[in-house]
Amino acid sequence: MLLAVDCGNTNTVFAIYDGNTQIAHWRTSTEWQRTADQYYVWLSTLMNMRGIKADITDVIISSTVPRVVFNLRVLADRYFNTRPLVVGKPECLLPVDTRVDSGTTVGPDRLVNTVAGHAKYGGNLIVVDFGTATTFDVVADDGAYVGGVIAPGVNLSLEALHHAAAALPHVDISKPQKVIGTNTVTCMQSGVFWGYVGLVREICDRIKGEHGAPMQVISTGGLAPLFQQTAELFDAFEEDLTMQGLRIIHEYNKENGTTL
């Protein structure tokens, strides 16, 4: 079985696959200090609670936080007796190309989203990922990653507003019933929600204009379901796009004899 790990700036997701079928997934906060032993105690406890007797033989990791990769490697080696594939490392092959400026390092999460998006929807895509940052990944007709856009994440913007303006409280993001707020909280929620709707629509329209071909817009990430309520923004929503991409990349490497 395959253990796929997606480590983002805020949360880390673990998923177990039996072939193409995801049998479980869990989410925890990303903490670079967490040791391999702590990961294993947490993961094995959750597996036991679900009655999962998974024989994990392979591990694949995508991480936007380089400091956590070492302990995840130790987890794979010590407890599952396998050397993990790490997306972005030379030994991890990708089924799609990248066409960006020479010397540019593309985030592994963006590469994984590109792979999964192309596998399910074909090319000419915009993948909008609502994470710590809101990213827009542009996938060409042949599946190549050809660039994108990075904007501040929704929660990051709310936190910045709260910390920079002493009179403004911390609020949770939600879709307001109307645009005009009648108190401080609803004013802030309206500004952030409709502001990001405008941001997503404008950026996607400009990408489509530059790309010069019809494109589908796919949303993913923690806050994607909230913005999916604005139906005209997206053609589809994928809850586990990154995890699907990790499974596909692992399968591709296994078929090409590079899984260690």
Side-chain angles (χ1 to χ4, degrees), residues 60 85 92-96 115 245-259:
I60 185 168
L85 278 170
C92 183
L93 303 179
L94 297 176
V96 298
V115 169
L246 285 172
R247 180 191 59 77
I248 294 167
I249 292 171
H250 170 264
E251 182 178 332
Y252 180 79
N253 280 264
K254 192 171 184 179
E255 290 174 353
N256 285 274
T258 56
T259 301

Side-chain angles (χ1 to χ4, degrees), residues 29-126:
S29 58
T30 298
E31 298 176 6
W32 68 266
Q33 305 97 327
R34 187 170 293 166
T35 66
D37 300 330
Q38 289 173 314
Y39 277 122
Y40 182 72
V41 169
W42 172 82
L43 182 61
S44 61
T45 299
L46 290 172
M47 290 169 62
N48 288 334
M49 289 176 64
R50 293 275 296 272
I52 298 173
K53 305 294 184 182
D55 180 18
I56 294 171
T57 57
D58 298 280
V59 178
I60 185 168
I61 300 166
S62 169
S63 178
T64 58
V65 186
R67 298 179 76 179
V68 306
V69 173
F70 174 78
N71 282 322
L72 290 172
R73 284 184 180 272
V74 175
L75 169 71
D77 177 65
R78 179 179 298 166
Y79 290 104
F80 305 122
N81 194 32
T82 185
R83 182 177 178 183
L85 278 170
V86 179
V87 178
K89 298 299 182 182
E91 65 272 15
C92 183
L93 303 179
L94 297 176
V96 298
D97 193 14
T98 57
R99 294 198 289 269
V100 294
D101 293 344
S102 178
T104 299
T105 300
V106 180
D109 55 329
R110 308 184 80 178
L111 297 173
V112 173
N113 284 346
T114 296
V115 169
H118 181 251
K120 185 162 186 177
Y121 296 97
N124 294 322
L125 298 179
I126 304 170

Side-chain angles (χ1 to χ4, degrees), residues 14-15 121 171 238 252:
F14 290 72
Y121 296 97
V171 300
E238 291 290 336
Y252 180 79

Side-chain angles (χ1 to χ4, degrees), residues 152-171 188 192 196:
V154 178
N155 286 321
L156 195 62
S157 296
L158 276 171
E159 286 296 324
L161 194 61
H162 168 59
H163 287 298
L168 296 181
H170 171 79
V171 300
M188 292 173 66
V192 171
Y196 269 85

